[in-house]
Amino acid sequence: MCADAATHEIAPRSGAAFTLDKGDRLTVIDPRGEQVADLLAFNRHDLDEVISSGRTLDYASRIYLTTGDPLYSNRSNVLLRIVEDTVGRHDFLLTPCSADTFRIIYGDADPHRGCFGNLAHALAPFGVAPDRIPVAFNCFMNVPVDGKTGVITVEPPLSRAGDRITFEAETDLLIGLTACSALQSNNGSFKPIHYRIERGTR
């Protein structure tokens, strides 16, 4: 592995898109704590193949994923594998927040475009239209589910400053990544997200 020189920063309430080659490792870092990062992955050579919450959770038989777990595509191929995780609680149930999220749930009259809008903007140059954006893997997001009632709540992330999760690419990928825009998901404040890429040797 050869690490990039820089740690990249995603500003609060914004997003980025970039590519990974098979064997590369992506580390998503919460530099200040209690900040969610929405992550998407597409097969770089066929953008119709995309990360799938439904396939991944079905095969894992649980909703909380951590070190060693694969993230599957809609075609049941492994796109990413979690190889390190210092938190152990992430969400793969809830869709990226959007202007509609803020309008419907929070009653905002002039809503922010949210992670959905940020992902759409960042991925557009790569040919990804908004309707192709699926449920994201929400790094550090804490979403308990009541086992009896099925009620979902959004609680403060368990991540603390410097916590991280590292993924290894199982194929060539296009990645979308955000610093989440929803107050409730981030315990009431908006903070940056950092990421690093270690290039594989292929």
Side-chain angles (χ1 to χ4, degrees):
M1 292 281 175
C2 179
D4 282 356
T7 295
H8 306 277
E9 179 168 293
I10 300 176
R13 305 191 97 183
S14 71
F18 49 88
T19 60
L20 297 178
D21 293 336
K22 181 178 179 179
D24 289 351
R25 289 189 173 188
L26 168 66
T27 299
V28 180
I29 305 154
D30 184 356
R32 300 184 190 174
E34 298 187 330
Q35 174 62 45
V36 170
D38 290 24
L39 181 143
L40 295 181
F42 297 79
N43 181 330
R44 202 165 79 222
H45 306 294
D46 183 352
L47 297 176
D48 287 331
E49 184 170 21
V50 62
I51 194 171
S52 172
S53 168
R55 298 289 181 192
T56 301
L57 299 183
D58 190 5
Y59 303 148
S61 297
R62 52 191 165 81
I63 62 172
Y64 300 131
L65 306 176
T66 187
T67 304
D69 285 321
L71 305 184
Y72 285 88
S73 77
N74 55 318
R75 296 176 184 164
S76 297
N77 296 314
V78 178
L79 298 185
L80 291 161
R81 191 177 302 275
I82 303 171
V83 295
E84 184 185 21
D85 179 10
T86 66
V87 179
R89 177 60 64 89
H90 314 276
D91 169 65
F92 210 3
L93 297 175
L94 300 186
T95 193
C97 62
S98 66
D100 288 330
T101 301
F102 299 129
R103 178 178 59 83
I104 293 169
I105 295 179
Y106 302 115
D108 291 356
D110 184 23
H112 188 270
R113 67 185 184 183
C115 286
F116 183 89
N118 287 330
L119 288 165
H121 178 77
L123 292 165
F126 295 90
V128 177
D131 284 344
R132 299 171 82 177
I133 294 175
V135 172
F137 184 85
N138 301 307
C139 306
F140 314 126
M141 191 171 183
N142 183 16
V143 182
V145 180
D146 187 295
K148 292 184 178 180
T149 66
V151 169
I152 295 171
T153 56
V154 177
E155 303 295 336
L158 302 181
S159 55
R160 297 294 177 257
D163 274 331
R164 64 194 181 276
I165 180 170
T166 300
F167 307 86
E168 183 165 323
E170 296 285 335
T171 190
D172 297 341
L173 297 174
L174 169 64
I175 299 292
L177 188 65
T178 72
C180 180
S181 302
L183 275 172
Q184 186 178 9
S185 299
N186 304 298
N187 201 19
S189 66
F190 304 122
K191 301 166 288 291
I193 282 290
H194 290 173
Y195 69 92
R196 289 196 299 264
I197 298 170
E198 289 182 282
R199 298 296 180 184
T201 55
R202 71 167 191 171

